Amino acid sequence: MEYELAPSMLSADFGNLSSQFAEISSAGAGWLHIDVMDGHFVPNISMGLPVIKSIRSCTKLYFDTHLMISDPLLYAERFAEAGADSITFHLEAADQPEKVIECIRKCGKKAGISIKPGTPAASLEPYIDKVDMVLLMTVEPGFGGQAYIESSTEKIAAVRKMADSRGLDTDIEVDGGIAPDTIDRVLDAGANIIVAGSAVFKGDIRSNIRFFEDAFARRGK
Ligand code: DX5
Ligand code: ZN
């Protein structure tokens, strides 16, 4: 299995983004997790299209775009144009999830679907064979720095089983509260894309990233 760390930009120093990107890249990260919040689907507002467009020119990091917005169908194409590499939307926010997936694919981007902690794993069944990635929220979406919700571990295992039983190698991304004390349980349960905000940007970025890379290496990355 391929593992990937996706440092969450939400915890970066917004006054020094290009140097923060250079630092995470040189420490070995290949992805950047970008949290888009609209103040409607989630009770917070973060960043949107012009920011993505502008940072696209200062880094080659893979833009893993997490849309925490209502009506993702209306905006997916514009996030693709702005420079997203993958676009993940929330199942709870989409009236026609298949149409959103189709739209993302038509734009030539990887498609991901996400569910909040209270949404059952079984709700992914109709879509798991149509997406590249499932993003399981392991905290309530909206804010960085929250504690991992313990019941997420079972859910990760259930989704990995769902993918395996269909012969799919779907990426399973986890997002929220992933840190040195929670990384092993999410990897053991079957997650392979790890979002970490506070655990990357607080303290020494290089040694923080090394910690995650070592956890991946123990599993044979
Ligand atoms: C929360 C966001 C997360 C957040 C994770 O809604 O989706 O990506 O930045 O932050 P940490 O790793 O600090 O929990
Ligand atoms: Zn996120």
Side-chain angles (χ1 to χ4, degrees), residues 9 15 33 36 41 49 80 90 118 124-125 136 149 169-170 189 196 217:
M9 181 173 149
H33 184 79
V36 178
F41 179 69
L49 292 160
H90 271 265
L124 295 167
E125 272 166 12
L136 296 175
I149 296 173
D169 61 354
T170 315

Side-chain angles (χ1 to χ4, degrees), residues 8 10-11 33 35 37 66 68 137 139-146 175-178 195-199:
S8 175
L10 199 59
S11 295
H33 184 79
D35 286 309
M37 303 179 185
H66 178 191
M68 283 164 276
M137 285 308 303
V139 298
E140 284 301 333
F143 301 90
Q146 304 179 73
D175 185 5
I178 312 298
V195 176
S198 333

Side-chain angles (χ1 to χ4, degrees), residues 9-21 47 51 55 58 201:
M9 181 173 149
L10 199 59
S11 295
D13 173 2
F14 277 53
N16 291 293
L17 285 177
S18 56
S19 72
Q20 296 259 281
F21 298 156
M47 62 203 103
V51 173
I55 61 173
C58 70
F201 289 100

Side-chain angles (χ1 to χ4, degrees), residues 51-63 82-83 85:
V51 173
I52 296 177
K53 213 170 168 182
S54 149
I55 61 173
R56 186 64 286 180
S57 59
C58 70
T59 177
K60 290 196 161 51
L61 287 160
Y62 179 92
F63 281 4
D85 291 298

Side-chain angles (χ1 to χ4, degrees), residues 1-9 30-36 62-68 85-90 110-117 124 128 131-139 148 152-153 155-157 159-160 163 169-178 183 186-187 189-197 216:
M1 186 160 345
E2 292 284 319
Y3 294 98
E4 209 61 66
L5 176 68
S8 175
M9 181 173 149
W31 285 36
L32 180 71
H33 184 79
I34 304 175
D35 286 309
V36 178
Y62 179 92
F63 281 4
D64 169 34
T65 315
H66 178 191
L67 300 185
M68 283 164 276
D85 291 298
S86 69
I87 299 175
T88 298
F89 67 98
H90 271 265
K110 298 270 190 194
I113 192 162
S114 181
I115 54 172
K116 299 200 278 187
L124 295 167
I128 193 158
V131 292
D132 300 286
M133 184 166 83
V134 166
L135 191 178
L136 296 175
M137 285 308 303
T138 47
V139 298
Y148 177 81
S152 309
T153 314
K155 202 167 172 183
I156 300 163
V159 177
R160 179 53 73 202
D169 61 354
T170 315
D171 283 325
I172 299 181
E173 181 172 54
V174 286
D175 185 5
I178 312 298
I183 182 69
V186 300
L187 294 176
N192 67 309
I193 310 284
I194 305 301
V195 176
F216 299 159

